C-alpha cells in the first residue's frame, strides 16, 4: 500500500509537523506539506514541501485535486475535511480528532453555527493554544490510524 500523508501546512503547528517528520522517516512514508508560503522541512526523500500560489483555499484545492483514495490528510479545516472524506480519504486534525462519515456532518453544522455567532459579534476568539496533551493525542491518533492500515 502506498499511503501519502498530506498536511494543510499553513495552519499546522510545528510540534505536529515534528511528529510527522519522525513518523514518515521511520515508516518510510510520503509526506507532502502544502502551503501558500515557505514551509521549512528537513531534508528527506520522504518529505516534500509544495508551495502553491496565494489566495483563499488554494492549498486546500490543491490537496483535494491531488489526493488519492485512502490517503491521510492532517487539517483542522472542517470544509477541507468534508471534501477529503467525500473523496474517500482519511482526516486527523492537529489535536488528534479523527473526522469521518460518522461525525463530519455534525462538525460542519457546528462550524457554521460558530461562524454565524462570530459574524453577529456573539462570540470572539478561536481555539486554545496547543498543549502537550494535544500533541500526544495527535501522535496516538496517527499511530492508531497507521496500525489500522497495517503500516
Amino acid at each position: 500500500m502506498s499511503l501519502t500523508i498530506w498536511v494543510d501546512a499553513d495552519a499546522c503547528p510545528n510540534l505536529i509537523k515534528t511528529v510527522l517528520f519522525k513518523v514518515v522517516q521511520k515508516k518510510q512514508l510520503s509526506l507532502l506539506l502544502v502551503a501558500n508560503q515557505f514551509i521549512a522541512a528537513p531534508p528527506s526523500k520522504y518529505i516534500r514541501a509544495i508551495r502553491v500560489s496565494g489566495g483563499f483555499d488554494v492549498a486546500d484545492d490543491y490537496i483535494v485535486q491531488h489526493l488519492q483514495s485512502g490517503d491521510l490528510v492532517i487539517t483542522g479545516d472542517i470544509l477541507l475535511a468534508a471534501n477529503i472524506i467525500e473523496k474517500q480519504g482519511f482526516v486527523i486534525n492537529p489535536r488528534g480528532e479523527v473526522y469521518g462519515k460518522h461525525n463530519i456532518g455534525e462538525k460542519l453544522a457546528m462550524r457554521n453555527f460558530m461562524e454565524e455567532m462570530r459574524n453577529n459579534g456573539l462570540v470572539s476568539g478561536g481555539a486554545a493554544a496547543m498543549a502537550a496533551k494535544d500533541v500526544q493525542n495527535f501522535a496516538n491518533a496517527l499511530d492508531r490510524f497507521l496500525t489500522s492500515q497495517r503500516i
Side-chain angles (χ1 to χ4, degrees), residues 3 6 9 36 47-48 52 54 60 64-65 72-73 78 88 90 94 96 102 119-120 125-126 130 132 136 148:
L3 171 74
W6 297 83
N36 60 21
I47 302 168
R48 197 169 112 220
V52 296
D60 297 1
V64 170
Q65 289 169 8
L72 173 64
V73 178
I78 302 296
Q88 296 169 3
F90 298 95
H102 67 284
N119 289 343
N120 290 321
M130 287 288 285
Q136 187 61 55
S148 77

Side-chain angles (χ1 to χ4, degrees), residues 18-35:
T18 300
V19 169
L20 289 164
F21 296 155
K22 289 177 185 173
V23 168
V24 299
Q25 282 298 128
K26 181 179 177 188
K27 303 267 186 187
Q28 300 180 353
L29 298 170
S30 176
L31 178 70
L32 302 175
L33 303 152
V34 182

Side-chain angles (χ1 to χ4, degrees), residues 115-142:
E115 183 176 35
E116 188 174 315
M117 296 290 281
R118 279 189 293 278
N119 289 343
N120 290 321
L122 300 173
V123 179
S124 63
M130 287 288 285
K133 180 183 175 196
D134 296 318
V135 177
Q136 187 61 55
N137 288 342
F138 174 80
N140 291 342
L142 179 61

Side-chain angles (χ1 to χ4, degrees), residues 70-146:
D71 283 352
L72 173 64
V73 178
I74 310 304
T75 185
D77 182 323
I78 302 296
L79 291 177
L80 174 58
N83 288 326
I84 298 306
I85 292 163
E86 189 175 303
K87 287 194 72 174
Q88 296 169 3
F90 298 95
V91 182
I92 302 174
N93 82 8
R95 294 177 189 270
E97 187 173 2
V98 176
Y99 298 142
K101 290 181 181 179
H102 67 284
N103 66 354
I104 196 64
E106 175 187 331
K107 297 294 178 188
L108 279 167
M110 182 56 77
R111 175 209 171 271
N112 293 340
F113 172 74
M114 292 306 292
E115 183 176 35
E116 188 174 315
M117 296 290 281
R118 279 189 293 278
N119 289 343
N120 290 321
L122 300 173
V123 179
S124 63
M130 287 288 285
K133 180 183 175 196
D134 296 318
V135 177
Q136 187 61 55
N137 288 342
F138 174 80
N140 291 342
L142 179 61
D143 184 58
R144 281 190 301 273
F145 172 79
L146 294 174

